[in-house]
Amino acid sequence: ISIIVDLLLVTVFPSLGEVLAGVVAIVSKEAVQHQGITLTMEGIVNLQLSSKSVGVFEAFYNSVKPIQLITSNIEVVKQGKVPGGKTEIPFEFPLHTKGNKVLYETYHGVFVNIQYTLRCDMKRSLLAKDLSKTCEFMVHSLPQKTKLQPTPVDFTITPETLQNVREVQSLLPKFLIRGHLDATNCVITKPLTGELVVESSDVAIKSIELQLVRVETCGCAEGYARDATEIQNIQIAEGDVCHSLPIPIYMVFPRLFTCPTLETINFKVEFEVNVVIVLHDEHLITENFPLKLCRA
């Protein structure tokens, strides 16, 4: 005997009045006696502290408990018998939160995880094992009503513009890199675009990369733990590129691992992009740009 939960829509927009609908399919060779079939829908934010933060803020242990956004339980079939073969039971779940809770967008991070699941349980007699099947569904937040104004950013990278340099500036090789990002206010469903030009460099270039970073903040009134981790790294040029040649910047935001920039009382999820130039003498040049992601 097996249970299959088939959703009509894997991604739902609760703010547009969409409901979670689908079919529970029970497949068995012969008739099955059961004590009832239930569906449980749950939305939870799991916050986790990085190892460097544990012990620093003991007060965190109170605020790092999972935050329940939504929970609902319905009985789809009362106690009885399911005939042999395939039995399909349709269901519909309205996504209503209690009080003033907001359904944040689905997001899978390192220290912040926002997840929505639907679990189907078939209770059986003492001698038979209960059956359970869980599936995840995605929640998307409401698109912005106001039109997003692009915020282009021009940048110039030279030894003089660098910060946090670990050696004497005069010992650094000379280089001049210009470029621009078309927008730092980004629509999550559209790529990050721009252009980069190596005007000059005394040392041969080994690689040019785009690094997308998530910055997750967990905490409470007593303090916050802020951690930056890499989501993806894309190489946009390899080897000693031609000087004065425009190199396109193009990065698609991965689903699940990114979400619209989010700020709440207990946690924040922000994003940044690093333009990384690796020189042949192993010098690493990084220019950082904070991004604001939204859904349009």
Side-chain angles (χ1 to χ4, degrees):
I1 178 169
S2 64
I3 295 177
I4 302 158
V5 180
D6 192 12
L7 298 175
L8 296 181
L9 289 169
V10 178
T11 303
V12 287
F13 288 84
S15 42
L16 298 177
E18 287 187 357
V19 295
L20 185 67
V23 169
V24 173
I26 297 157
V27 182
S28 77
K29 290 178 182 174
E30 54 201 32
V32 178
Q33 195 79 31
H34 63 86
Q35 309 295 313
I37 300 169
T38 58
L39 279 174
T40 306
M41 182 254 295
E42 200 171 35
I44 282 182
V45 181
N46 280 308
L47 303 178
Q48 193 182 332
L49 287 180
S50 63
S51 53
K52 68 176 188 184
S53 305
V54 173
V56 178
F57 303 115
E58 274 72 19
F60 270 176
Y61 290 108
N62 302 322
S63 65
V64 176
K65 288 173 185 165
I67 302 164
Q68 195 164 64
L69 301 175
I70 189 170
T71 180
S72 188
N73 186 287
I74 54 170
E75 187 178 52
V76 285
V77 178
K78 291 197 182 321
Q79 180 178 343
K81 192 181 271 192
V82 177
K86 185 176 182 180
T87 304
E88 292 192 339
I89 307 152
F91 67 86
E92 217 172 74
F93 254 120
L95 295 168
H96 295 317
T97 57
K98 287 177 183 174
N100 58 353
K101 290 201 171 163
V102 178
L103 292 184
Y104 306 122
E105 186 152 324
T106 299
Y107 166 72
H108 289 202
V110 177
F111 304 106
V112 177
N113 213 51
I114 304 169
Q115 196 168 18
Y116 298 88
T117 56
L118 183 66
R119 192 181 77 244
C120 179
D121 293 302
M122 179 193 272
K123 295 268 183 261
R124 298 169 78 190
S125 63
L126 291 171
L127 299 172
K129 191 181 174 186
D130 291 352
L131 292 176
S132 185
K133 177 76 177 177
T134 303
C135 68
E136 183 179 2
F137 64 95
M138 315 301 155
V139 165
H140 278 186
S141 55
L142 189 65
Q144 267 194 196
K145 287 178 184 171
T146 53
K147 196 178 177 191
L148 194 69
Q149 294 298 321
T151 47
V153 173
D154 293 316
F155 60 88
T156 302
I157 310 171
T158 65
E160 291 72 41
T161 63
L162 297 180
Q163 295 174 340
N164 303 323
V165 181
R166 289 182 185 161
E167 54 193 274
V168 182
Q169 210 129 22
S170 58
L171 298 177
L172 290 173
K174 295 278 181 254
F175 54 83
L176 171 60
I177 296 152
R178 298 184 199 277
H180 70 268
L181 294 177
D182 293 330
T184 52
N185 274 0
C186 304
V187 177
I188 201 164
T189 51
K190 292 182 180 173
L192 173 75
T193 56
E195 199 174 79
L196 181 142
V197 179
V198 179
E199 300 284 2
S200 62
S201 177
D202 287 357
V203 177
I205 287 170
K206 191 175 181 181
S207 176
I208 301 174
E209 294 156 15
L210 276 182
Q211 183 188 42
L212 183 63
V213 173
R214 59 170 90 78
V215 182
E216 295 165 324
T217 309
C218 303
C220 55
E222 280 77 7
Y224 286 86
R226 188 174 186 271
D227 293 280
T229 49
E230 182 187 291
I231 299 173
Q232 64 181 13
N233 195 314
I234 294 173
Q235 188 179 43
I236 58 171
E238 185 179 11
D240 197 14
V241 296
C242 296
H243 293 181
S244 303
L245 175 75
I247 299 164
I249 290 172
Y250 189 96
M251 178 186 272
V252 173
F253 296 110
R255 194 180 177 191
L256 291 181
F257 304 117
T258 54
C259 67
T261 302
L262 185 58
E263 186 169 345
T264 74
I265 296 168
N266 289 88
F267 66 94
K268 279 197 290 189
V269 180
E270 299 162 298
F271 299 93
E272 297 174 353
V273 69
N274 292 326
V275 175
V276 182
I277 294 115
V278 186
L279 302 179
H280 259 292
D281 61 3
E282 298 307 321
H283 272 110
L284 201 72
I285 303 156
T286 304
E287 190 78 3
N288 176 270
F289 302 93
L291 301 177
K292 188 173 191 313
L293 302 189
C294 68
R295 196 166 285 286

